[in-house]
Amino acid sequence: MSDRETLALMRTVAEALARAGGRLALAHLAEHKALEIEAKGPQDFVTVVDKAVETLIRGRLKEIFPDHAVLGEEFGLDREGARIVWGLDPIDGTANFLRDRPVWCVSIGATIDGRPALGVIYEPVRDELYSAAAGQGATRNGTPIAVNAKAKPDSAVIGVGYSPGRKVPEHVQQIDHILSHGGEYRRLGSSAMSLAYVADGRFDGYAAAHTNAWDVMAGLVLVREAGGVTDDFIESGAQSGPVTAAAPGVADLARQLRALA
């Protein structure tokens, strides 16, 4: 099977598994039961649902693609040296999920030879499935999407990420920089959803001083395939680092935000 054929199969599987994971998470919400919660750090939570969704997706991936590696937020990397590595965030935006705020998603990405090649993000509450593969464009619920071609700094809406432990004055500097250039900012509490919004033109850019590979692997592919510009750490082989993604007209502003962090 060629890489293109493999990637097409991976995309189909990822879309189905993202939907399945989303349905599982929604079912837990519908039960209105108190969830077992662990605090991994300040404002950084994991629930039994995160683990259940990742277990579901991991299991199916290993059945279908036994030679691939899987890197997930809850259970780490299962093997070294694989040419194809999946990146899973079973619920990106767990803090939102816990309070039934509708900004959370299932994120499934993959790299081939270290390069992000596949991105699928499913937002269950609105039933929106974002999907992209290298060289094949990006879609939302099957309809092609693109970054905002008219974006410019003095009218941009920029998503800004924040991680506990980061220096607050640096974060404030980023927000000040956006506002002083005439733009606006938003903080969703989900890197994956923020990147999907950039790909779809709902945001014009996104900047985060620190993210993990599983948070952004899928979203970076979406942005690139939607015509956006990205700067990230994935191809360096690191599992965490800073990220910017933007429509071309605000790419410089996004890079400036990264420099301030």
Side-chain angles (χ1 to χ4, degrees):
M1 187 180 292
S2 69
D3 277 359
R4 186 173 182 83
E5 291 170 329
T6 299
L7 190 56
L9 175 59
M10 289 168 61
R11 186 175 185 178
T12 299
V13 169
E15 290 175 353
L17 290 179
R19 286 190 180 278
R23 288 193 298 269
L24 177 58
L26 282 176
H28 278 272
L29 279 183
E31 291 177 357
H32 299 290
K33 293 181 180 178
L35 295 175
E36 181 181 327
I37 303 169
E38 298 175 27
K40 296 188 286 187
Q43 297 293 327
D44 187 8
F45 306 106
V46 60
T47 72
V48 65
V49 185
D50 296 76
K51 294 179 179 180
V53 172
E54 183 165 326
T55 297
L56 169 70
I57 295 172
R58 272 182 181 271
R60 291 295 292 137
L61 287 177
K62 297 311 291 182
E63 289 175 8
I64 300 168
F65 305 105
D67 296 331
H68 297 185
V70 180
L71 169 68
E73 178 172 12
E74 308 310 333
F75 301 112
L77 180 67
D78 64 355
R79 60 181 292 190
E80 298 282 354
R83 182 169 175 251
I84 297 177
V85 180
W86 293 83
L88 310 179
D89 195 335
I91 299 180
D92 191 50
T94 298
N96 291 331
F97 174 80
L98 282 170
R99 298 195 181 199
D100 203 9
R101 294 191 296 255
V103 186
W104 56 274
C105 64
V106 179
S107 180
I108 305 176
T111 60
I112 299 178
D113 295 327
R115 294 188 172 191
L118 173 72
V120 172
I121 292 173
Y122 181 53
E123 199 277 272
V125 177
R126 297 180 62 173
D127 190 26
E128 292 189 335
L129 181 72
Y130 294 87
S131 177
Q136 299 177 25
T139 62
R140 174 170 51 83
N141 290 349
T143 300
I145 56 175
V147 298
N148 181 10
K150 298 179 180 180
K152 53 185 181 179
D154 62 1
S155 60
V157 177
I158 308 292
V160 182
Y162 177 78
S163 300
R166 185 179 158 203
K167 295 180 180 178
V168 173
E170 293 175 352
H171 183 65
V172 173
Q173 269 190 300
Q174 287 184 314
I175 294 171
D176 179 78
H177 195 71
I178 294 168
L179 296 176
S180 66
H181 281 76
E184 257 287 9
Y185 71 94
R186 300 287 185 272
R187 194 168 93 79
L188 295 183
S190 168
S191 294
M193 285 307 308
S194 296
L195 290 168
Y197 280 9
V198 175
D200 205 11
R202 292 171 172 175
F203 282 0
D204 300 308
Y206 177 67
H210 181 272
T211 59
N212 296 300
W214 51 76
D215 295 319
V216 297
M217 191 183 292
L220 290 168
V221 179
L222 280 164
V223 173
R224 291 176 188 175
E225 289 299 310
V229 179
T230 66
D231 292 298
D232 61 85
F233 57 88
I234 300 288
E235 291 183 38
S236 73
Q239 289 191 11
S240 63
V243 160
T244 59
V250 296
D252 286 343
L253 176 60
R255 293 188 185 107
Q256 290 162 16
L257 295 176
R258 177 173 175 168
L260 289 171

